[in-house]
Amino acid sequence: ASGGTNGDADDDDYENSMCLPTWFPLVFTLALPMPETLQSLDLTTAHASKRFGANLTIELPRGYPTTSTLQIVSYRITSSTYLKKEYIEKAAQAVTTTASEALEHGEECGFACCASAIECWNEYMEQAEASMMMTQESNDEGGDRNSGPIHDDDDADIHWITAETTLVDRRSVFQAHLCRVSSDDMAHRAVRKLILSSTKIQRATHNMWAYRFIDKLEDGKELLKHDNDDD
């Protein structure tokens, strides 16, 4: 009888070990797609990257899925022409909500979380497309707006300075633009505002950008943040 009891216990231990794979943690990146209509107007990223507007880096931690659940490691907007930080934040929130619900039942949720993120992201892409269409219609009615920046109450804190001269290198013409920024969101809004301010800039083959700023944390420490176009 005692042998049978030990056997049952061994079986239970084996089943539990099968629920906790030893090869976790596992990290992967979910690339969120851009609609083709926005890809054609996104001049802030290299051609190969235009198909995606944001990235979500996700971790399946040790103990997944029975004792811990899927977690967001980081997320970022990779295109800044028509996309706002709010879009990727909402997609990340959808992943977190789905993962929390799955943990209550000890269920695998990798595919479900990715589906939630894509569904949420696509809803915001529809809004971005609508915004793009309105901007294009406004540009068509108002003609070339290269004479000055667009007027947007949400971007009143953004002020661009444009170089009066250009640099020519192997038949490529470069013109510098400078703007003060204090956050990732402000940097992306600034690039978006600059591109939408001029049909000449929109027609450029490639608009390269880079930014750097110091973020002051709550504990008084300072953190240097930076990002740039791949080129």
Side-chain angles (χ1 to χ4, degrees):
S2 59
T5 302
N6 291 336
D8 293 339
D10 291 341
D11 290 341
D12 291 340
D13 290 341
Y14 176 75
E15 291 179 0
N16 289 334
S17 66
M18 293 296 290
C19 294
L20 299 173
T22 58
W23 43 270
F24 285 140
L26 175 67
V27 178
F28 66 94
T29 298
L30 174 65
L32 299 172
M34 281 263 287
E36 291 185 1
T37 51
L38 297 184
Q39 291 179 33
S40 62
L41 293 176
D42 177 27
L43 302 179
T44 64
T45 55
H47 178 74
S49 303
K50 288 185 177 182
R51 293 188 299 122
F52 305 105
N55 289 332
L56 273 171
T57 301
I58 300 172
E59 179 184 67
L60 304 180
R62 189 175 300 278
Y64 172 86
T66 55
T67 60
S68 59
T69 190
L70 178 149
Q71 300 173 2
I72 299 291
V73 176
S74 64
Y75 54 83
R76 66 187 293 263
I77 292 287
T78 57
S79 169
S80 58
T81 305
Y82 288 95
L83 305 186
K84 298 180 180 180
K85 187 178 180 180
E86 173 190 3
Y87 301 164
I88 187 63
E89 289 177 339
K90 293 296 184 180
Q93 183 178 350
V95 170
T96 301
T97 300
T98 302
S100 297
E101 294 174 351
L103 180 60
E104 295 179 2
H105 305 286
E107 298 176 345
E108 193 283 324
C109 61
F111 289 109
C113 286
C114 290
S116 297
I118 293 174
E119 180 180 4
C120 180
W121 175 259
N122 287 340
E123 291 178 0
Y124 279 99
M125 288 302 94
E126 293 178 1
Q127 296 182 22
E129 284 186 290
S131 175
M132 180 271 293
M133 294 300 296
M134 292 178 61
T135 300
Q136 289 299 105
E137 291 175 1
S138 177
N139 285 345
D140 293 341
E141 293 176 0
D144 194 334
R145 302 165 66 184
N146 191 37
S147 58
I150 59 173
H151 299 286
D152 190 334
D153 293 338
D154 293 337
D155 298 329
D157 56 336
I158 296 172
H159 306 283
W160 281 101
I161 300 175
T162 299
E164 296 181 355
T165 58
T166 59
L167 173 66
V168 180
D169 179 28
R170 288 171 293 183
R171 293 186 296 178
S172 295
V173 181
F174 298 87
Q175 186 173 30
H177 306 269
L178 181 67
C179 178
R180 181 186 294 274
V181 299
S182 57
S183 67
D184 294 307
D185 177 65
M186 186 177 182
H188 290 302
R189 287 191 295 109
V191 174
R192 174 177 176 272
K193 181 176 182 178
L194 178 64
I195 292 177
L196 295 182
S197 70
S198 168
T199 56
K200 180 179 179 180
I201 296 178
Q202 293 174 23
R203 292 193 299 269
T205 304
H206 189 190
N207 289 308
M208 297 173 287
W209 56 266
Y211 67 85
R212 182 174 64 176
F213 65 91
I214 295 178
D215 188 17
K216 294 185 178 180
L217 307 180
E218 295 181 356
D219 58 5
K221 295 182 179 180
E222 295 183 343
L223 178 64
L224 178 64
K225 291 188 175 182
H226 58 89
D227 198 3
N228 62 272
D229 178 68
D230 291 338
D231 291 342

